[in-house]
Amino acid sequence: MKKILFLSILFHSSFLFGQIKNIRNYQENINNAELSLIAGNKSIALNEYYTTLIKSEGNFCKDIYNAMLLATELSKKDTFFVFLNLLTTKGLTNSYIKGLPEFSQFHKDPKWIAFLKDNQNYNGINKELKSQIDSLHDIDQFFRTKDGSYKVYGDTIKQIDRKNMLFMYSLITANEFPGEHDIGVNSVSGDQGYDILFHHYTQSTSVNKRLVKITPLLVNLVLQGKILPNKCSDWLEMQDGEFKAGVSGIKSFKINGKQTGYFRPAYDFIQKLIIDEYRKWLPRNIRGLL
């Protein structure tokens, strides 16, 4: 079975707008499904995914994908196609979806063919905004991937980063920052064109102390259901501030060409206490992994 994309995080909030309504309940229910899966209760986990994804007003593609994997493993074909149809709003191309080998067994099923037709005809994505945001990834990488990178083009890279982030700020200020509902995703794991912008900016704030840390912007985007909570937690830790939720400490390794499972540091009592207390602000479900 392909690795489940874990690390959803629960935020407590009274926000009732954005991509996912009642994001607190949504994340709590997804958390329960993932913890059931970790405990080996796969049928219970599938039921929790089903109830959450069918009833919620909004969702994350990562959660749909995990549910599809689980339904496939448990040979629940009808349930799989219920989840598959939820992908229609995510803007993934038919060629990308057909290229996922884990679902190749369904390719000849009439329901699969019907889905591809509906998916191709879906026009609910703001393609202009999506294209603009995706282009920011290429702009971010253009000089970073040239010979010499930062040493040769350091000043230019800084100017580009500043311009890119100003665009992000303008979207937030106008309450137009897009979630998956608006621009879809670039992969089943929920990758977005702006991910690398936040990655590099928050990383830079740990070095350049004159840069403003963007904690409230990121947290509020999660509270609106617009960015994945685990991404937010990772970016907050990159700022090298006080926030520590243990996200960056969970790692996997490649040994003899094979990827290992995930490992965590051996926290002492005080370290674990502090991490758990921070997680009361932001996350909940990776607590079960520590």
Side-chain angles (χ1 to χ4, degrees), residues 81-289:
F81 280 112
V82 171
F83 295 142
L84 177 66
N85 288 328
L86 295 178
L87 282 186
T88 303
T89 63
K90 300 304 179 181
L92 295 170
T93 65
N94 281 354
S95 60
Y96 174 89
I97 295 172
K98 288 189 292 185
L100 297 172
E102 53 269 35
F103 306 130
S104 60
Q105 68 189 72
F106 301 110
H107 285 187
K108 294 182 179 180
D109 193 290
K111 290 183 179 180
W112 177 273
I113 297 171
F115 161 77
L116 292 178
K117 182 178 180 180
D118 291 341
N119 190 62
Q120 184 174 354
N121 293 330
Y122 182 73
N123 59 5
I125 297 296
N126 186 334
K127 294 182 179 179
E128 182 178 354
L129 181 57
K130 176 179 174 54
S131 178
Q132 188 174 11
I133 288 179
D134 285 347
S135 71
L136 297 180
H137 178 279
D138 298 331
I139 295 170
D140 175 282
Q141 289 290 286
F142 186 78
F143 288 101
R144 282 183 165 93
T145 56
K146 284 184 173 291
D147 291 339
S149 190
Y150 290 93
K151 290 184 179 180
V152 177
Y153 304 103
D155 289 341
T156 301
I157 291 173
K158 288 179 182 178
Q159 292 176 11
I160 291 173
D161 288 351
R162 181 177 180 276
K163 184 177 181 180
N164 284 346
M165 287 304 297
L166 284 174
F167 179 68
M168 293 290 99
Y169 298 149
S170 70
L171 291 176
I172 295 171
T173 300
N175 196 29
E176 294 177 353
F177 187 93
E180 292 184 8
H181 176 77
D182 304 297
I183 60 172
V185 294
N186 293 330
S187 72
V188 290
S189 60
D191 293 333
Q192 299 284 15
Y194 53 68
D195 289 350
I196 201 163
L197 307 187
F198 287 135
H199 176 98
H200 283 140
Y201 181 83
T202 54
Q203 192 176 54
S204 296
T205 63
S206 67
V207 178
N208 184 352
K209 303 303 180 182
R210 292 178 297 178
L211 290 177
V212 177
K213 298 187 187 300
I214 57 173
T215 301
L217 303 184
L218 295 174
V219 170
N220 283 333
L221 289 175
V222 173
L223 296 178
Q224 296 173 38
K226 292 188 174 182
I227 64 173
L228 283 164
N230 58 289
K231 289 182 184 179
C232 176
S233 190
D234 194 25
W235 294 330
L236 291 179
E237 288 196 355
M238 281 185 184
Q239 292 184 140
D240 197 24
E242 192 174 327
F243 179 85
K244 299 291 181 184
V247 175
S248 59
I250 300 175
K251 301 181 183 296
S252 65
F253 304 90
K254 183 170 286 188
I255 300 176
N256 296 327
K258 294 184 177 181
Q259 201 72 27
T260 69
Y262 287 96
F263 295 88
R264 61 170 176 80
Y267 298 113
D268 62 29
F269 170 75
I270 297 177
Q271 289 173 321
K272 188 173 185 301
L273 173 63
I274 296 301
I275 287 174
D276 280 345
E277 290 302 306
Y278 272 120
R279 287 177 176 181
K280 290 180 181 178
W281 296 359
L282 304 181
R284 176 172 178 171
N285 79 325
I286 58 175
R287 178 178 302 174
L289 301 178

Side-chain angles (χ1 to χ4, degrees), residues 2-40:
K2 196 172 178 69
K3 287 184 178 178
I4 293 290
L5 305 170
F6 279 126
L7 302 183
S8 299
I9 298 172
L10 174 63
F11 284 74
H12 295 276
S13 164
S14 59
F15 282 64
L16 294 176
F17 61 92
Q19 176 188 300
I20 300 176
K21 287 192 175 183
N22 206 335
I23 184 67
R24 182 178 65 84
N25 283 350
Y26 176 86
Q27 288 298 150
E28 184 172 12
N29 292 332
I30 291 297
N31 170 48
N32 289 336
E34 293 179 348
L35 291 180
S36 293
L37 190 54
I38 291 172

